[in-house]
Structures are given as C-alpha cells and as structure tokens.
Amino acid sequence: MAAPDPQQAADPAAVKRHPALFRAIRKRQNPRLRRTDITVTDDAAVKRAVKAASLGNAMEWFDFGIYSYLAVTIGHVFFPSGNDTTQLLSSFATFAVAFLVRPLGGMFFGPMGDKVGRKKVLALTMILMAVGTFAIGLIPSHDTIGVWAAVLLIFFRMLQGFSTGGEYGGASTFIAEYAPDKRRGFFGSFLEFGTLAGYVGAAGLVTALYALLNDAQMEAWGWRIPFLVAGPLGLVGLYLRLKLDETPAFQKLEGGTAHASEAADGVEATAKGDLAKIFRQYWPTLILCICLVGAYNITDYMLLSYMPTYLSDELGYSETHGLLILLAVMVFLMAIISQVGKLSDHFGRKPLLMAGMLGFLFLSLPAFLLIRVDGILPITIGMLMLGLSLVCMLGTMSAALPALFPTHVRYGSLSVGYNLSASIFGGTTPLVITALISWTGSNLMPAYYAMAAALVGVIAVACMKETAQQPLIGSPPSVETDEEAAELVQAQSPEPKF
C-alpha cells in the first residue's frame, strides 16, 4: 500500500516552518527512477514465456473442456439409470465439485507462487491436472463397480479442480510480469487464446468421436479416449514450462538477476504473500476481482461449456450439431482475440470490458431467441452475438486482473479472488441453468442468468481503475527498447529555468 503523504499527515504549521525537510521526505518516499530501475524486455524471452504459459493453459482447459462436452455420456456411465435430467444434473454436479475445491487450490498454490516462484508452481499444477484427467479415463463404469465409480470420478475431479486453482492466477501473472507495459493486453490475450484452443481441441475430438461412434460404443469405451490423451499432453506442457526462466518481477523481489535501485525499491516489497495479509489488506480489491470474474465466468461457461448441452438436451439437436456450431464460433474468436488485446492497449481495459458486459446485458435475450429458431443460420448468429461480447472480456481480462494487485501478493491474491469467484459462479453455471430451466419450464433462463451477471459486471468495471500502458503495482516500468527507457527517465527531469 502507498505511503501516506507526509504533508497530509503532519501539522500544517510544521510544514510551513520546515518546507525543505518535508520536500526531502517526499523525495525520499517517491524518488525518481533511474535508467537501471527500468526493465527492458527481451522480445524472444517474452514470446517464449507467452507460448509456454498459453500452451500449458490450453492443455489445462482441454482437460477441463472434455468433461463439459461429454456431460451427457458421463451421466449415463457413472450414475444409475433413470430420469435423463437427473443424470445430467448429477453429471453437472460432479462438474461443479471441481470448482468447489478451486479456492483451496488457489489458497495453496497462490501464496506458494509468491514464495517459491511462478515457474515451479505452474509446473506442479500441470502435473496434477494431467494425472487427474488421465485417471478419469481409467475409472470403471457404474455397472462394473457401482457407487465407487461416482466416488472415484468425484475424487479425480477434485484433484483437477485443486490443480486448476493455481493455474489461471499463475499463468496470467507470468505473462503480465514478462510483457512490456504498453503491450500487456496484446500478450495477455494469448493466454485466453490458449483457453479457446483447449476448448476447440476438446470439442473437436469429442465431435469426431460422436460422429464416428454410436451411443453404445461411446458409453462403452469411446468417452475414455479424450481423457487418456491428457497424459502425453501434460508431459508436453510440463517440458515447456520447465524450460522457462522466472519472471523479471519475481527475480527482483527475490534479489535475483533483475536488480533495481532505491527508486524501484520504493514500490516493491520483500514480504512474502500470505493469506492473512491478502484478506486483511487487499479485501476491497479482492471483492472487485470476485465481481469481475463472476460476471466473466458465468457468461464464459454458459457459452463455451454449457451451450452444446443446451442445444441437445433442451432444443433436441444432436450432440454433434451443437458442438460443430460452437467449434466454428470458437475458431472465429481465436482469430480475432489478439486484435482485441491490441485494442485494450490502445483504448484501455475499461472500454473493452464494458463493451463485453453491456453486450451480454442487452444482447443475451435476442441471441437466445435466435438460438431457439430452427436452423443453423439463426443459431450461429445468436451464438456469434454472445461470442463477440465474450471476446471483449477474453482478450482483456488476463491483462486487467494481474494489474489489480502488487507484485509481492499478485499470484496469491489473484488465485484466491479468481477461484473463489469461479467456484461460486463459474463452475455452478451449467448446474444452476439446468435447474432453473427444470423449475421454471423456460428455456430462456440462460439469457436471464447471463444478463444478471452482466449487470454486476457493469458496476464492477465502472469501479475499477484504468491500468493500460502503466507499470504493474509493485514493479518498475517495463519497456521494449533502451530508447523508451531513456525517454521515461528524461520525462522525469525538471525543465531548465533561465
């Protein structure tokens, strides 16, 4: 937290009597940056960091996505036969279980990432996710081992959720701390490019299996294939992450290779992140983070996870039909997401986030009315309306969220705030929507739920500070060239007086 202004804290009369002393105190607390304080990024290192974080994130969300897209089949395999809606609710309840333990993962991995480093923790989350997903593919069905099938499924879903608790906060922190200030939105957007790529890979593989296999084959063994693929994919992600160096900001915090002078020390702390400090000192920012992430996650999971099930279970389309349309929409979003990141660098995070929130607030109902119309074209247009609103948030959020917290508690604070919100709002989205439709009989409930989330998001975006093109809190400025560093130093020099 910023130090108080000595002139505001002191007696005004004392300030008048000793102006030189108080000027010296102000300069001591807010010294000018020197050239050695400013981080000049290595473009090749930034790109390697972005690639490893994004590919690892893609593999994490491939693992998570396949469960969403196989929800109907998993309901049949692991839960007793009976009412289809009950089986689907049981399947989505198990989906939500993984989110219930995500805050525990965030509270465990987040402070650890602030203590031992971002790189080590991201490698560990990669291992745990791969193990959990691979193990699900080996669980016998309910017909074979009875209730133990569901128990094992829930256990390994909890392992997935626990590992994911340290993933997003770490990956977004990793990219944000590597990227230059003026391009943090552009580089951060590749993290969500990875998320979409993971979903696309999962949806593509599940679509191919539904197309090639009949229902009996899918329930007997076909559903296992995507989960078993996760093992080798996890090893690839682990290899990429272990090859990286630690972020410059964390190296500076640890007194490593990224040295800075007293000017930078004024905004950096050596204290390690801990939960008590996060909840005690940063609770207002945590609440803001939870509201932003809640609105973002409800709309994200509603479109990217729940929509295929909605099209098949509520509107009567085949599983392949819904997945193919969603696949096309996600590929389109992947094509434009980096441009959205660039726009957030140019115009700011708030305008892009506000555009996404307002899009869901005003376009959700028209979009779902179109989706209910029979035909590929109206469904595609409706999903594109939702997708364009979502991409405004996808391309911006991964740069906006890490900038809310200072370096020494960034990983921990973001992991706690993100995962608390994801647990309460994100993972429960398919379950809540399915239950609301069952209770009300209206298949427009997803639209109303998204609109309510977007309203909260609009208020949260209005309350946040703009962070585009500014240094991260607790870190010195980060630029791309020596010329930019020299300009920053020159800008602080007083104008000569004649």
Side-chain angles (χ1 to χ4, degrees):
M1 298 179 71
D5 187 336
Q7 281 190 262
Q8 292 179 345
D11 178 12
V15 175
K16 286 183 179 179
R17 287 196 303 271
H18 307 287
L21 174 62
F22 282 94
R23 279 198 301 271
I25 293 173
R26 284 200 308 275
K27 287 181 180 179
R28 180 75 176 88
Q29 290 184 333
N30 300 287
R32 291 196 181 107
L33 286 169
R34 296 203 296 259
R35 168 61 190 83
T36 51
D37 300 327
I38 299 169
T39 302
V40 179
T41 59
D42 178 350
D43 189 55
V46 173
K47 289 178 179 176
R48 282 198 305 272
V50 170
K51 185 188 299 181
S54 301
L55 285 176
N57 202 51
M59 290 164 193
E60 291 262 359
W61 291 106
F62 170 85
D63 294 351
F64 232 67
I66 51 181
Y67 188 95
S68 307
Y69 302 137
L70 287 166
V72 176
T73 300
I74 286 172
H76 295 158
V77 172
F78 287 100
F79 300 99
S81 58
N83 184 277
D84 286 344
T85 301
T86 302
Q87 285 187 328
L88 186 61
L89 281 170
S90 299
S91 179
F92 278 139
T94 309
F95 179 81
V97 159
F99 285 82
L100 295 179
V101 297
R102 277 182 67 164
L104 300 178
M107 292 176 191
F108 178 79
F109 290 116
M112 183 191 293
D114 287 325
K115 290 179 182 179
V116 305
R118 286 71 164 114
K119 169 186 169 179
K120 294 175 183 175
V121 175
L122 284 173
L124 181 57
T125 62
M126 188 86 257
I127 295 169
L128 290 178
M129 174 60 87
V131 168
T133 309
F134 187 79
I136 288 175
L138 300 176
I139 300 173
S141 68
H142 180 272
D143 290 343
T144 305
I145 60 172
V147 71
W148 285 105
V151 171
L152 288 171
L153 177 65
I154 290 169
F155 174 78
F156 288 115
R157 284 291 296 160
M158 291 174 71
L159 181 61
Q160 282 186 316
F162 189 74
S163 70
T164 307
E167 173 60 25
Y168 184 90
S172 58
T173 294
F174 201 82
I175 292 177
E177 290 182 351
Y178 255 106
D181 297 333
K182 291 184 178 180
R183 300 185 71 197
R184 189 168 295 116
F186 171 71
F187 285 117
S189 68
F190 283 95
L191 184 67
E192 297 295 357
F193 179 93
T195 299
L196 288 170
Y199 275 126
V200 165
L205 181 53
V206 172
T207 301
L209 289 171
Y210 275 129
L212 295 172
L213 304 176
N214 58 40
D215 290 345
Q217 290 172 318
M218 277 297 292
E219 291 183 19
W221 54 269
W223 68 271
R224 298 181 186 275
I225 293 173
F227 289 98
L228 297 177
V229 167
L233 285 180
L235 293 176
V236 173
L238 179 63
Y239 171 75
L240 289 170
R241 288 186 169 179
L242 289 176
K243 285 186 67 178
L244 291 172
D245 293 326
E246 192 51 82
T247 69
F250 185 79
Q251 288 179 1
K252 167 61 184 78
L253 197 65
E254 290 295 284
T257 58
H259 299 288
S261 70
E262 189 178 29
D265 289 335
V267 290
E268 296 214 34
T270 56
K272 301 298 189 293
D274 65 85
L275 290 175
K277 177 188 294 183
I278 290 169
F279 284 109
R280 186 173 62 250
Q281 296 184 9
Y282 299 100
W283 63 266
T285 314
L286 269 180
I287 292 173
L288 177 63
C289 178
I290 287 169
C291 291
L292 285 169
V293 173
Y296 160 58
N297 267 349
I298 285 173
T299 52
D300 181 280
Y301 286 104
M302 183 267 291
L303 179 61
L304 301 185
S305 295
Y306 175 72
M307 192 57 74
T309 303
Y310 177 78
L311 291 174
S312 60
D313 202 56
E314 302 299 332
L315 303 184
Y317 294 99
S318 68
E319 285 87 351
T320 307
H321 188 104
L323 280 171
L324 281 174
I325 296 175
L326 179 60
L327 202 56
V329 171
M330 288 194 295
V331 169
F332 174 70
L333 299 186
M334 288 174 66
I336 65 172
I337 192 168
S338 63
Q339 299 305 311
V340 174
K342 283 184 179 179
L343 288 174
S344 80
D345 284 328
H346 184 72
F347 294 107
R349 315 290 184 229
K350 291 184 67 170
L352 271 293
L353 289 174
M354 188 62 81
M357 298 296 181
L358 290 174
F360 274 106
L361 184 60
F362 293 110
L363 297 179
S364 290
L365 191 56
F368 271 90
L369 289 172
L370 278 171
I371 289 169
R372 292 200 309 174
V373 176
D374 190 22
I376 292 177
L377 183 61
I379 293 174
T380 304
I381 293 173
M383 289 178 67
L384 272 176
M385 290 165 65
L386 299 173
L388 289 172
S389 300
L390 180 62
V391 80
C392 291
M393 293 186 274
L394 281 173
T396 309
M397 200 68 78
S398 51
L401 294 177
L404 295 175
F405 301 100
T407 302
H408 64 286
V409 293
R410 180 170 298 122
Y411 196 154
S413 301
L414 183 51
S415 293
V416 169
Y418 188 93
N419 289 293
L420 276 173
S421 188
S423 173
I424 298 167
F425 304 111
T428 58
T429 295
L431 178 65
V432 169
I433 292 175
T434 303
L436 286 173
I437 292 172
S438 178
W439 292 337
T440 64
S442 170
N443 54 21
L444 287 176
M445 290 311 298
Y448 299 135
Y449 195 49
M451 290 166 68
L455 183 59
V456 174
V458 167
I459 297 169
V461 173
C463 293
M464 70 179 282
K465 293 180 180 178
E466 183 56 72
T467 57
Q469 301 199 21
Q470 298 174 22
L472 293 169
I473 304 170
S475 294
S478 178
V479 298
E480 290 186 274
T481 65
D482 288 313
E483 289 75 17
E484 283 185 78
E487 287 174 9
L488 275 178
V489 174
Q490 184 64 31
Q492 295 184 109
S493 300
E495 291 293 324
K497 296 179 180 180
F498 297 100

